[in-house]
Amino acid sequence: MTNSPLAAVAKGIWWAVLLRGIFAVIFGIIALAAPGAALTGVVFVFGIYAIVDGVTAVIHAVQIRTPGSGWGWLLFQGAVSIIAGVVALIFPVLAGVIGGLFALWTIVIYAVMHGALGIGSAAGLADGRNRTIGIVSGLLTLAFGILLGILTLATPGATVLSLIWIVGIYAIVFGVMFIIAAIQLRRGVTTLLGQQSA
């Protein structure tokens, strides 16, 4: 066992990062495996993912609540994710096709805000490698949101298949990056604990 604050923080967050990555990959696989699903079906899966991702981000933020860790940005990011997920789940039920379009714009706004907040949160990290991964993930999320917004404006009648493929591929890439970051965090914890026990 160790009393190192750094080791305690790392032990507390690596599994949260891993969970976010796993849920993102699962979401992406579901989206790609069911290309003929209705928009409301995709939005429903997104809503569940966004809520789980948001709750995990909030837990992660609480665990790393130290100066310079960027936990405030992460907490806000988690809250936005939870709200977006709830809106995506409720609105289609209330308004049918209009709800689906509103939920699509919810995904766009979520991705843009999630990406921007993710970049801000990652920029505050001390670890250079994890900071780079976080910033790249944030940029990808931001780019996805902007691209999806442009496509929605230009071709509001675009097929569900196109939307599903874009969302699915993005989620898998995003998830894999988080899984890699979690594995690196875990290795860092193991190395740190090994050095302290030596």
Side-chain angles (χ1 to χ4, degrees):
M1 303 299 292
T2 177
N3 293 322
S4 168
L6 178 60
V9 169
K11 283 177 67 178
I13 65 173
W14 78 269
W15 63 268
V17 176
L18 180 64
L19 276 179
R20 294 183 72 185
I22 290 173
F23 280 121
V25 171
I26 290 173
F27 168 70
I29 291 173
I30 291 173
L32 294 179
L39 177 59
T40 51
V42 176
V43 171
F44 182 75
V45 175
F46 163 77
I48 294 174
Y49 161 72
I51 291 172
V52 172
D53 181 64
V55 170
T56 306
V58 169
I59 294 172
H60 185 176
V62 172
Q63 289 180 331
I64 63 169
R65 196 174 60 251
T66 56
S69 65
W71 72 274
W73 283 105
L74 188 59
L75 182 66
F76 185 58
Q77 179 182 339
V80 169
S81 184
I82 292 171
I83 293 170
V86 170
V87 170
L89 289 178
I90 293 176
F91 203 89
V93 176
L94 297 177
V97 175
I98 296 175
L101 291 174
F102 182 84
L104 179 58
W105 277 108
T106 299
I107 294 174
V108 171
I109 295 170
Y110 163 82
V112 170
M113 292 189 67
H114 199 276
L117 293 172
I119 293 170
S121 178
L125 295 176
D127 187 308
R129 180 178 297 176
N130 288 325
R131 181 171 61 244
T132 300
I133 291 175
I135 290 174
V136 170
S137 297
L139 287 172
L140 285 174
T141 304
L142 185 60
F144 163 75
I146 294 172
L147 176 61
L148 186 57
I150 291 172
L151 290 175
T152 303
L153 282 174
T155 56
T159 63
V160 175
L161 180 60
S162 298
L163 172 65
I164 293 174
W165 276 91
I166 292 172
V167 173
I169 292 171
Y170 155 77
I172 290 173
V173 171
F174 179 80
V176 168
M177 292 187 71
F178 263 76
I179 290 171
I180 292 172
I183 292 172
Q184 290 176 341
L185 275 173
R186 179 60 177 167
R187 286 178 180 169
V189 171
T190 303
T191 302
L192 184 58
L193 292 178
Q195 290 174 348
Q196 291 190 352
S197 61

